[in-house]
Amino acid sequence: MWHYGDARAAVRDALRLSQAMTFKSAVAGLPLGGGKGIIMAPDPAVPGPRGRRTDALRDFGAMVGDLGGSYVTAEDVGTSARDMQVIASATRHVTGLSRRHGGSGDPSPWTALGVEAAISLCCERVFGTPSLRGRTIAVAGLGNVGGRVASACAKAGATLLVTDIDARKRTLATALGARWVEPGEALAAPVDVFAPCALGGLLDHDSVARLGAPIVAGAANNQLASDDVAALLAQRGVLWAPDFVVNAGGIINISVELEPGGYDARRAGTLVRGIGDTLTRIFDDAQARGTTPLDAAMVLARRRLAEHGAG
């Protein structure tokens, strides 16, 4: 659920995100397709009748139900497990319900776990060790996922720089012993890892020239403003971990919820940590072919889609 300036922007975002979800599921080797539902929320600054959020969620649930199971919805930006329960009142094709209601709960911890695994793998690739102790990491975006990524990195012994457009997140920075920087400063900070965990499109021709880290690995979707930015990153010697590989933890967890045997948190954790193995394959393929991690990831995704007749 997000506020868009107009319906065209919402449709463009849905198409962009659904494509990313398709590649995310394919690279992760999941028996799932890729779709994305968008709820265009009213401007929060404009007063409106109470209950309109609930009405919108129920209407969305009814639409999902009309698709007969070809699309299954789950929690994402702007929604919660509680919202999934409202949607569930209109359709059974919903995942990410609370554990109390038979689901796997908030997917954010699983996404964050995958990001942590990716950061460790990238550090091993660049610095020769997966340990985060003594590393400096800039986390941009301290939402449900980014906050957990920052906490995990701090627990692992990293020195943190953090930022968010919401100044109230300074409280978390203080609790973690992290240095707060303004949003525009995080990308250029001289750190070991830059972890973008807010909304996408941050990496473009101008920002890559200012990038201060040799590693970029974060939870944000669609981090590249355009695909050619992947080559710019490589030319600068920056190891960029493709976002749709790094942030697959949530959908991997959901896939376990959909397995015939039912949800198993231990199995979900094992599969999510496997993101590191997937990145190893992608980086190895990119190096062997003299191409970028983006190209290698896309080759893997298209191969798996073709194997299932979806290429």
Side-chain angles (χ1 to χ4, degrees), residues 1 29 33 60 74 103 115 133 219 238 240 262 268 270 282 289 310:
M1 180 177 287
F60 181 76
V115 175
R133 185 164 298 281
V238 175
W240 176 69
T270 299
I282 288 168
R289 296 170 181 166

Side-chain angles (χ1 to χ4, degrees), residues 59-71 87 90-93:
D59 287 346
F60 181 76
M63 181 192 70
V64 170
D66 289 342
L67 296 175
S70 61
Y71 174 75
I87 292 174
T91 179
R92 62 186 178 86
H93 301 299

Side-chain angles (χ1 to χ4, degrees), residues 76-298:
D76 207 334
V77 175
T79 58
S80 64
R82 180 177 296 180
D83 291 328
M84 295 306 103
Q85 192 60 40
V86 175
I87 292 174
S89 68
T91 179
R92 62 186 178 86
H93 301 299
V94 56
T95 58
L97 298 173
S98 68
R99 299 294 292 272
R100 184 165 60 92
H101 289 97
S104 60
D106 181 2
S108 299
W110 301 101
T111 304
L113 178 63
V115 175
E116 182 187 2
I119 290 173
S120 293
L121 185 280
C122 289
C123 284
E124 182 176 28
R125 197 90 182 182
V126 172
F127 303 118
T129 173
S131 175
L132 303 186
R133 185 164 298 281
R135 295 292 165 207
T136 54
I137 300 176
V139 180
L142 297 175
N144 288 338
V145 175
R148 288 180 168 88
V149 170
S151 296
C153 291
K155 186 176 181 180
T159 298
L160 293 181
L161 281 72
V162 298
T163 189
D164 196 283
I165 59 173
D166 183 353
R168 291 173 296 181
K169 300 294 184 179
R170 282 178 179 264
T171 304
L172 176 59
T174 301
L176 296 176
R179 180 162 71 90
W180 179 272
V181 296
E182 293 305 312
E185 299 173 9
L187 181 138
V191 297
D192 294 318
V193 180
F194 175 59
C197 294
L199 298 181
L202 179 63
L203 298 174
D204 57 24
H205 289 242
D206 293 332
S207 63
V208 167
R210 297 185 289 108
L211 188 63
I215 295 171
V216 177
N221 284 306
N222 300 104
Q223 293 169 18
L224 306 184
S226 56
D227 286 354
D228 63 334
V229 174
L232 291 178
L233 288 163
Q235 289 166 13
R236 284 207 57 202
V238 175
L239 182 65
W240 176 69
D243 46 56
F244 57 91
V245 181
V246 173
N247 62 20
I251 190 62
I252 291 172
N253 177 64
I254 290 297
S255 74
V256 176
E257 185 176 332
L258 297 173
E259 289 181 348
Y263 183 67
D264 181 343
R266 188 171 299 178
R267 172 168 165 75
T270 299
L271 293 177
V272 170
R273 291 185 183 93
I275 285 174
D277 295 332
T278 302
L279 279 175
T280 296
R281 174 176 178 177
I282 288 168
F283 291 151
D284 285 346
D285 287 351
Q287 185 174 16
R289 296 170 181 166
T291 186
T292 67
L294 175 61
D295 289 336
M298 292 301 293

